[in-house]
Amino acid sequence: MHQLKAYSAASETAPLVRTTIARRDLTAHDVQIEILFCGICHSDLHSVRNEWGATVYPIVPGHEIVGRVTEVGAEVTKYKAGDLAAVGCMVDSDGTCAQCKAGFEQFCPNMVLTFGSSDQHLDGVTYGGYSEGIVVDERFVLRVPANLDLPGAAPLLCAGITTFSPLRRSGVTKGKKVGVVGLGGLGHMGVKFARAFGAHVVAFTTSPNKKEDALRLGADEVVISRNAEEMQQHTGSFDFVLDTVSADHDINSYLNLLSVDGNLTLVGAPPKPLGVSAFSLIMGNRSLSGSSIGGIHETQEMLDFCGEHNITADVEIIPIQKVNEAYERLLRSDVKYRFSIDMASLKSE
Ligand code: NAP
Ligand code: ZN
């Protein structure tokens, strides 16, 4: 066991503060990573504030991790000291169930989340990326293409895969009209991927000041979603809509934008249930689905795709000491478009 610096919250009303955590010594299949950058996902905030009602304290959040390998276990074959490496939302699964075999580790009944899951190696819960380093089984370590900017690559590990996976699965391609709702960390990646897949992309935002950016990020059109007239112009016209909104909102106004057989996939996870009108679905054989991150193989595919197309998140780099302020700004949709924590700031503390 070794001790590392980290930031943790002690309760749902407490701020994140500097602490010390234990990481396990390397087993034969483990990779030890010095964390260089960690993105701030809205799921970190939902969890720290116990908005989903399942948080175990103390919590060390962070599941958008990029760093450098410092040491590997005796039987590790894929990584060596000095390699760039990344870790996303999961750090383990049983590897034997039907979901694992199909490449859907995120649905394995024994999946271990990067933070907040019970830790079978140490007595306690797993601790995430707001820390100096992490020890992870090599099966859950990803390769980062060398050409990618590291602060902007970190958010690919959650915001990237969570949008890439449903867009890919639903066959988004040239000739399809695709909507992306909410231009935050996930949404701005959704716009970039939908554009890269060749679709006609419409971004829906409540923030008029994001309009120019949305076009630059790859949207063909931008709709200010609080303007009913602008919304109405798109009624019944979308093949696919990706909803990334983190808070309560009227989902029917987006379901009504779907064409016959159109699908709306939810990736945003607002704490309160959304009210779905049956008629929004019945009229047009429309469907509503959900999507959870992506499997490990697919996450590597996404990273490689980003390497080939030079896609990263647009980030504001912050020192860890600004994390509480960053959470307040995230709640005000005041970040363009992801905070990426420079972990060097933790070393000097
Ligand atoms: P984020 O950066 O805060 O973005 C959310 C965006 O939603 C905001 O930028 C804002 O966009 C819009 N929004 C916020 N409040 C709104 C409201 N009251 N009404 C309408 N729109 C509103 O968050 P994120 O990190 O992208 O995460 C988004 C959600 O996805 C969170 O709930 C998170 O927990 C969830 N998530 C799910 C998965 C999964 O596997 N399914 C993975 C990661 C995250 P505009 O300013 O453009 O309106
Ligand atoms: Zn996330």
Side-chain angles (χ1 to χ4, degrees):
M1 221 161 66
H2 52 290
Q3 305 288 319
L4 291 178
K5 292 181 205 169
Y7 261 59
S8 78
S11 77
E12 62 189 64
T13 53
L16 287 150
V17 293
R18 163 94 150 73
T19 187
T20 303
I21 57 166
R23 295 288 192 197
R24 66 177 182 261
D25 290 330
L26 266 70
T27 68
H29 296 282
D30 279 340
V31 176
Q32 180 172 286
I33 298 166
E34 176 198 3
I35 300 175
L36 298 175
F37 292 93
C38 183
I40 297 182
C41 178
H42 208 113
S43 302
D44 298 350
L45 189 155
H46 288 311
S47 303
V48 164
R49 303 196 175 171
N50 199 19
E51 291 175 355
W52 293 327
T55 304
V56 180
Y57 295 94
I59 174 178
V60 176
H63 57 207
E64 294 185 335
I65 298 168
V66 294
R68 201 167 283 288
V69 175
T70 46
E71 206 182 325
V72 298
E75 287 171 43
V76 168
T77 56
K78 292 197 299 193
Y79 299 93
K80 58 177 190 324
D83 287 349
L84 285 178
V87 178
C89 301
M90 307 177 275
V91 289
D92 211 349
S93 71
D94 61 33
T96 56
C97 72
Q99 299 301 344
C100 283
K101 284 184 178 155
F104 298 119
E105 293 89 351
Q106 71 271 37
F107 305 126
C108 167
N110 298 306
M111 185 266 284
V112 180
L113 288 167
T114 304
F115 66 82
S117 277
S118 74
D119 187 339
Q120 70 273 46
H121 297 272
L122 298 174
D123 195 19
V125 291
T126 52
Y127 292 136
Y130 296 9
S131 64
E132 289 178 292
I134 191 164
V135 176
V136 179
D137 187 294
E138 71 169 326
R139 291 186 299 123
F140 285 81
V141 179
L142 286 307
R143 277 198 183 285
V144 184
N147 58 315
L148 294 183
D149 162 65
L150 281 189
L156 299 177
L157 277 299
C158 177
I161 184 59
T162 303
T163 50
F164 179 91
S165 180
L167 287 166
R168 257 296 195 66
R169 200 167 55 243
S170 56
V172 166
T173 181
K174 197 168 162 39
K176 302 278 184 189
K177 186 174 174 186
V178 172
V180 178
V181 186
L183 214 59
L186 266 59
H188 94 291
M189 290 309 306
V191 168
K192 289 188 186 205
F193 286 132
R195 172 63 172 242
F197 296 162
H200 180 88
V201 187
V202 183
F204 292 89
T205 179
T206 59
S207 310
N209 69 351
K210 293 181 182 171
K211 195 164 181 172
E212 291 306 310
D213 278 344
L215 297 170
R216 177 181 56 78
L217 293 167
D220 296 285
E221 301 177 59
V222 185
V223 171
I224 305 301
S225 51
R226 293 201 165 118
N227 182 327
E229 220 170 279
E230 274 189 56
M231 290 288 281
Q232 218 149 34
Q233 283 168 13
H234 291 272
T235 300
S237 67
F238 282 86
D239 297 291
F240 182 73
V241 172
L242 187 67
D243 183 339
T244 75
V245 175
S246 52
D248 196 21
H249 60 291
D250 177 17
I251 193 172
N252 299 297
S253 61
Y254 297 101
L255 288 169
N256 290 332
L257 301 183
L258 295 173
S259 58
V260 171
D261 277 334
N263 170 264
L264 184 150
T265 293
L266 274 179
V267 285
K272 282 196 201 141
L274 296 164
V276 178
S277 154
F279 291 99
S280 306
L281 294 171
I282 290 171
M283 301 310 290
N285 292 355
R286 296 161 173 153
S287 63
L288 170 63
S289 319
S291 189
S292 175
I293 46 174
I296 289 297
H297 181 76
E298 192 180 25
T299 304
Q300 189 62 62
E301 247 178 60
M302 178 275 308
L303 285 168
D304 295 343
F305 180 90
C306 289
E308 279 158 38
H309 295 82
N310 209 15
I311 294 174
T312 51
D314 286 31
V315 293
E316 178 178 336
I317 302 172
I318 58 161
I320 187 109
Q321 291 78 9
K322 291 227 163 133
V323 69
N324 294 300
E325 187 184 322
Y327 275 29
E328 292 309 315
R329 287 182 52 197
L330 191 61
L331 277 177
R332 296 196 299 267
S333 303
D334 175 27
V335 50
K336 292 180 172 174
Y337 281 85
R338 196 57 137 189
F339 289 113
S340 188
I341 306 169
D342 181 353
M343 279 309 159
S345 59
L346 183 54
K347 280 206 176 344
S348 55
E349 200 175 308

